[in-house]
Amino acid sequence: MLPFYSRLVATLHPCMPDVANDLVQLLKGDFKWHVRKKDQINIESKLKTVRFIGELVKFKLYPKTEALHCLKMLMFDFSHHNIEMACALLDCCGRYLYRSQESHHRTKIYLDVMMRKKSALHLDSRYTTMIENAFYYSNPPEVQQVAKKIRPPMHEYIRKLLYKDLSKVTTEKVLRQMRKLDWDDTEIAFYATKSLIAVWNVRFNSIHCAANLLAGLAPYHEHVAIQVVDGVLEDIRLGMEMNHPKFNQRRVSCVKYLGELYNYRMVESAVIFKTLYSFITFAVSYDVNMPSPLDSPEHLFRIRLVCVLLETCGQYFDKGTSKKKLDCFLIYFQRYYWFKRSNAIWVEETRPFPIDIRNLVQDTLEAVRPKLKLSENFEEALKACEDLENEYKPRVASVLPIIETDEGNTSEADDNLTTIQEIEEEGDELSGDVSSQKLTGEEESEEDYSQSQRSNTGSQGNEGEGSDDNDDEDQNGEDDDDDDDNDEDGDDVMESAGEEEDEDQVLHLKNTLKVVKCAEDDDFMAAFDKMMVDNIQARNNENLKVPQLDIALPMHITDRNKKTATYVTDVEEPVEDNAIKFVLMTRKGNKQQFTKLNVPISAEFAATYKERERAEMAEKEKMKQVVLGIHERQEEEDYQEMIASMNRPVPVNTNRERRPRYQHPKGAPDADLIFGSKKR
């Protein structure tokens, strides 16, 4: 109520000045009485007094010089309640006094004195925080003012349409205005496309309106729709590569936007599933000892992105090919979720797994697949993934003999398969299948088969059994989706592996595909040759020194001879004065043979070895003496320090007897005086 009391007094001051004058005199006397009393009670009364003074200062009823004098009195004994009173006074009128021209200089001096006292005195952390808050409130640090970005009027108009006016009821109106833009102007078209991509500036509840707007623009400006979809996908991938918390809301908006674009038939289901698999595979490490920096165990935001995308468009994947694709993805998604949840950093007592993530995953899976049996732990999720892979591996492997027989080989895994040049449309339909078959043959023995090759072979068995989810009723007809066409062609080859018609088709394809040389190949070979020549010259200029290492003999030779020797350089103790024994290892076929070799001491090889051995022994002896000397000096210093501490006199506190004795205050505190019901 103090600010309102001060405003009331200021309102009455022109016609009743005595009220303000008497109030100022009473507050001044009350303040001086509290300061001179020096008791550590009635802190609330002290704080109310200084706050009332501060509020009256801002209404120019209490003189600024008197307020600064009050602050100076508190500085004389800067401790306990005086600190709290000074901070309360500065919190109320410190900035006003600092900004006023006539009181700026004195206020600045008092603030500097207060900060120096804070540094010199050993104050409690609470008092230190109060002093710093009061100082920075009165004299805030200078911050460079952010310059407002000035945009052309047309850019401001486009932002107003998309970010402010766009809503469920104004979508048609905004669409008409967007169609009226000069799309032939490169600058306007570029900025409009950029604004359509930056969907994080749109209200989250209006993201579906932005997708509806883009669907309305696509029939008239197809290139705009393509650029927007590419920009959204690029932003989603960039968010996974950076993985910074400040981009979390932006990433959620982009994923929501992508799902709404699928709902308005702007993207195909293959794009959605590729994005879903990228969330659980891109830079993901299932090795506990080698966590990925882009997806560390404590980062759970990708789970939220998957749930947002499934909540947006997952209900449409309920039949046909899309249903089988989503069923396969949910199995791998549960493995990713349980891998995160079973990590050692989540401890039930100290750091439990976030309950909101757990509920989000459960609600999402129940919404898209109400009858799905959820995995109970990480082991069950791994078992489900293995069963799925074992189901589709034979179907993928059945295609390998066909392709390899047509290539002229009879083995199932041909290491000499080369990349097929994509020239004709028929080659495009089968090139993806051939590439996926090569990858499958190379990695079929790995345990994590489906994770690394998910986009090529993991879902090949279920991608071609029907048309896209938007055309499930006409599964036998032609599909407009290019990805689904490729999948259907791959599935036809898989099902008719033993038929002669498909063999003839593959042979015809082999004859039509040829390698075409271009200028880029010549440039690449020239750059490669130059790099090899530079590397060889650099290696020739290096001064290579072969390290001389002593290699121990095998155990059976050591046990048999009861001696230590090396293959070439490690020598045994000389048994004669004029020869040194070596053991030479040779290889005949796959069997190692060991031959004893006596080298005369006069030989250059043996003399060099003896000289090197003597130098090593001398170096070891020298280092041993240095270490022993250091150890002896440390022991001598410790001994001298112990003797000095024993002879050092014990300090005596001479001020102990001079300390004044504590005197307990007589009588009990006056409760009526404290709570204000008794007049002084």
Side-chain angles (χ1 to χ4, degrees):
M1 301 297 291
L2 295 179
F4 299 100
Y5 288 165
S6 303
R7 183 175 294 276
L8 176 61
V9 174
T11 305
L12 297 176
H13 181 69
C15 56
M16 302 174 62
D18 294 339
V19 176
N21 296 334
D22 294 344
L23 181 60
V24 168
Q25 294 300 326
L26 289 174
L27 287 174
K28 188 185 302 182
D30 202 8
F31 175 80
K32 292 181 179 179
W33 182 83
H34 281 305
V35 173
R36 292 171 183 171
K37 185 69 174 176
K38 293 185 179 181
D39 57 356
Q40 298 304 316
I41 59 175
N42 301 329
I43 181 61
E44 287 299 328
S45 300
K46 297 177 182 179
L47 295 180
K48 288 179 181 178
T49 301
V50 296
R51 286 173 183 156
F52 208 170
I53 292 175
E55 296 295 340
L56 291 175
V57 168
K58 291 188 288 187
F59 284 101
K60 299 183 180 181
L61 300 178
Y62 199 96
K64 299 176 184 177
T65 56
E66 293 295 335
L68 292 174
H69 181 69
C70 295
L71 183 60
K72 182 179 179 181
M73 292 176 61
L74 295 173
M75 291 292 179
F76 287 145
D77 184 15
F78 199 62
S79 61
H80 300 294
H81 287 183
N82 287 359
I83 296 177
E84 298 191 28
M85 294 172 67
C87 293
L89 181 61
L90 291 174
D91 287 340
C92 288
C93 62
R95 182 176 296 181
Y96 175 76
L97 295 174
Y98 188 82
R99 299 292 183 181
S100 300
Q101 184 177 0
E102 60 274 11
S103 60
H104 169 75
H105 185 65
R106 288 185 61 187
T107 306
K108 183 178 180 181
I109 293 176
Y110 290 153
L111 289 175
D112 294 340
V113 171
M114 184 178 67
M115 294 301 291
R116 287 199 299 268
K117 284 182 174 290
K118 183 202 71 137
S119 303
L121 301 176
H122 297 284
L123 302 176
D124 187 65
S125 59
R126 185 174 67 92
Y127 291 139
T128 303
T129 306
M130 291 174 60
I131 294 171
E132 291 178 352
N133 292 340
F135 176 80
Y136 289 113
Y137 173 77
S138 304
N139 183 19
E142 295 183 0
V143 180
Q144 185 177 2
Q145 186 177 5
V146 179
K148 184 179 179 181
K149 189 174 183 180
I150 301 177
R151 300 183 178 90
M154 183 57 68
H155 293 185
E156 293 288 353
Y157 179 67
I158 294 174
R159 294 177 65 89
K160 176 181 177 297
L161 287 177
L162 297 179
Y163 302 154
K164 294 182 180 180
D165 297 345
L166 184 61
S167 62
K168 185 176 181 180
V169 296
T170 61
T171 303
E172 294 295 333
K173 179 180 178 181
V174 173
L175 176 60
R176 286 195 297 269
Q177 298 299 322
M178 292 294 293
R179 287 182 55 193
K180 292 178 181 179
L181 296 178
D182 186 8
W183 291 96
D184 295 333
D185 190 342
T186 306
E187 182 181 358
I188 295 177
F190 173 77
Y191 193 81
T193 305
K194 178 182 175 182
S195 301
L196 287 171
I197 295 174
V199 72
W200 51 88
N201 294 325
V202 182
R203 291 186 296 270
F204 191 77
N205 294 333
S206 301
I207 290 180
H208 70 283
C209 301
N212 189 6
L213 176 66
L214 185 63
L217 284 174
Y220 305 96
H221 307 284
E222 185 178 359
H223 64 283
V224 175
I226 297 174
Q227 292 175 3
V228 171
V229 172
D230 290 343
V232 172
L233 293 175
E234 181 68 20
D235 198 271
I236 293 175
R237 182 58 174 258
L238 185 63
M240 290 191 293
E241 293 178 356
M242 298 182 66
N243 194 20
H244 197 283
K246 72 177 182 180
F247 299 118
N248 284 354
Q249 187 59 42
R250 174 173 176 171
R251 297 170 66 185
V252 171
S253 300
C254 289
V255 171
K256 175 79 172 178
Y257 193 29
L258 180 63
E260 295 294 347
L261 289 176
Y262 174 79
N263 295 342
Y264 284 96
R265 298 179 180 240
M266 298 301 297
V267 296
E268 300 294 342
S269 61
V271 178
I272 300 298
F273 284 106
K274 186 177 294 185
T275 305
L276 288 173
Y277 277 109
S278 67
F279 287 149
I280 62 174
T281 58
F282 178 73
V284 175
S285 174
Y286 286 93
D287 189 357
V288 181
N289 299 324
M290 297 179 62
S292 174
L294 298 181
D295 188 45
S296 56
E298 66 273 8
H299 288 171
L300 307 175
F301 199 72
R302 292 194 183 186
I303 299 178
R304 187 178 297 276
L305 295 180
V306 172
C307 294
V308 169
L309 188 54
L310 290 179
E311 288 176 354
T312 305
C313 58
Q315 65 270 19
Y316 298 108
F317 302 140
D318 56 350
K319 51 185 169 181
T321 306
S322 59
K323 180 178 183 299
K324 297 180 180 180
K325 291 181 182 179
L326 184 58
D327 291 340
C328 294
F329 169 76
L330 292 180
I331 295 176
Y332 289 101
F333 174 62
Q334 291 187 72
R335 180 182 67 175
Y336 177 78
Y337 166 72
W338 278 108
F339 173 74
K340 290 281 189 178
R341 183 172 173 178
S342 61
N343 198 279
I345 65 172
W346 307 112
V347 182
E348 191 65 28
E349 293 78 10
T350 59
R351 190 182 183 185
F353 190 79
I355 188 66
D356 58 333
I357 299 295
R358 190 183 310 175
N359 294 337
L360 178 63
V361 172
Q362 185 175 0
D363 295 343
T364 303
L365 295 182
E366 289 181 356
V368 297
R369 290 293 183 270
K371 299 180 180 180
L372 179 65
K373 182 180 179 182
L374 304 180
S375 302
E376 299 294 335
N377 48 46
F378 184 54
E379 288 72 18
E380 290 188 12
L382 282 177
K383 182 65 168 56
C385 292
E386 292 177 359
D387 294 342
L388 179 65
E389 293 167 5
N390 293 333
E391 178 183 354
Y392 285 105
K393 275 183 181 179
R395 303 181 63 181
V396 175
S398 63
V399 132
L400 295 178
I402 301 174
I403 301 299
E404 291 163 353
T405 301
D406 295 332
E407 293 290 340
N409 301 324
T410 56
S411 60
E412 293 185 357
D414 189 2
D415 295 336
N416 297 324
L417 287 177
T418 58
T419 304
I420 297 177
Q421 188 72 20
E422 298 181 2
I423 300 176
E424 301 180 359
E425 293 181 359
E426 296 180 357
D428 293 342
E429 297 179 355
L430 197 59
S431 60
D433 296 335
V434 176
S435 301
S436 64
Q437 292 154 12
K438 177 182 177 182
L439 294 174
T440 306
E442 292 175 352
E443 301 187 2
E444 188 174 1
S445 61
E446 297 183 2
E447 295 180 358
D448 200 8
Y449 164 83
S450 180
Q451 176 191 354
S452 60
Q453 300 295 334
R454 188 67 186 93
S455 61
N456 293 328
T457 60
S459 60
Q460 190 175 3
N462 62 358
E463 287 182 351
E465 295 183 5
S467 62
D468 192 32
D469 57 321
N470 295 328
D471 300 322
D472 290 325
E473 296 180 358
D474 190 12
Q475 296 184 3
N476 296 326
E478 296 182 357
D479 198 345
D480 295 335
D481 189 0
D482 295 339
D483 295 335
D484 290 342
D485 287 339
N486 294 338
D487 295 336
E488 289 180 359
D489 292 338
D491 219 5
D492 293 339
V493 175
M494 193 180 304
E495 293 176 356
S496 58
E499 297 182 2
E500 297 179 356
E501 296 179 359
D502 290 336
E503 294 179 0
D504 297 337
Q505 180 181 0
V506 175
L507 289 174
H508 176 70
L509 176 63
K510 176 185 175 183
N511 296 329
T512 56
L513 299 180
K514 298 180 181 178
V515 178
V516 180
K517 293 186 177 181
C518 55
E520 287 78 3
D521 296 337
D522 299 336
D523 296 340
F524 172 78
M525 293 304 299
F528 180 76
D529 294 338
K530 184 177 181 300
M531 182 188 68
M532 292 297 296
V533 172
D534 295 341
N535 190 16
I536 293 174
Q537 293 179 356
R539 295 291 293 176
N540 292 334
N541 296 331
E542 293 181 359
N543 186 14
L544 300 178
K545 183 178 179 181
V546 180
Q548 298 180 355
L549 301 177
D550 293 338
I551 306 174
L553 280 175
M555 294 299 297
H556 64 279
I557 300 299
T558 305
D559 296 338
R560 186 175 61 187
N561 297 335
K562 300 298 182 180
K563 296 177 182 179
T564 58
T566 60
Y567 296 146
V568 176
T569 63
D570 195 5
V571 69
E572 298 182 0
E573 295 295 333
V575 297
E576 299 179 1
D577 295 338
N578 57 354
I580 302 177
K581 276 193 175 183
F582 287 86
V583 175
L584 179 65
M585 185 189 75
T586 57
R587 182 184 296 275
K588 186 175 182 181
N590 293 329
K591 186 177 180 182
Q592 296 177 352
Q593 297 180 355
F594 300 92
T595 306
K596 293 183 179 180
L597 183 64
N598 294 332
V599 180
I601 195 74
S602 59
E604 181 181 358
F605 174 75
T608 304
Y609 178 80
K610 295 294 289 184
E611 184 65 26
R612 180 168 62 88
E613 187 180 37
R614 283 194 295 269
E616 290 178 356
M617 292 297 295
E619 182 67 21
K620 290 181 180 179
E621 185 65 25
K622 182 179 177 181
M623 292 301 298
K624 179 179 178 182
Q625 295 300 328
V626 172
V627 174
L628 289 176
I630 295 174
H631 184 66
E632 290 176 358
R633 285 197 298 272
Q634 288 180 350
E635 288 184 348
E636 182 65 23
E637 291 176 0
D638 295 342
Y639 179 74
Q640 294 296 336
E641 180 65 23
M642 182 183 65
I643 296 299
S645 62
M646 293 175 61
N647 298 332
R648 190 179 299 117
V650 180
V652 180
N653 187 4
T654 58
N655 296 325
R656 182 173 182 181
E657 301 299 332
R658 301 178 187 176
R659 191 186 329 175
R661 302 180 64 183
Y662 174 76
Q663 294 181 359
H664 193 279
K666 297 181 181 180
D670 191 354
D672 295 334
L673 180 61
I674 295 174
F675 294 99
S677 61
K678 182 179 179 181
K679 295 183 180 180
R680 287 192 294 271

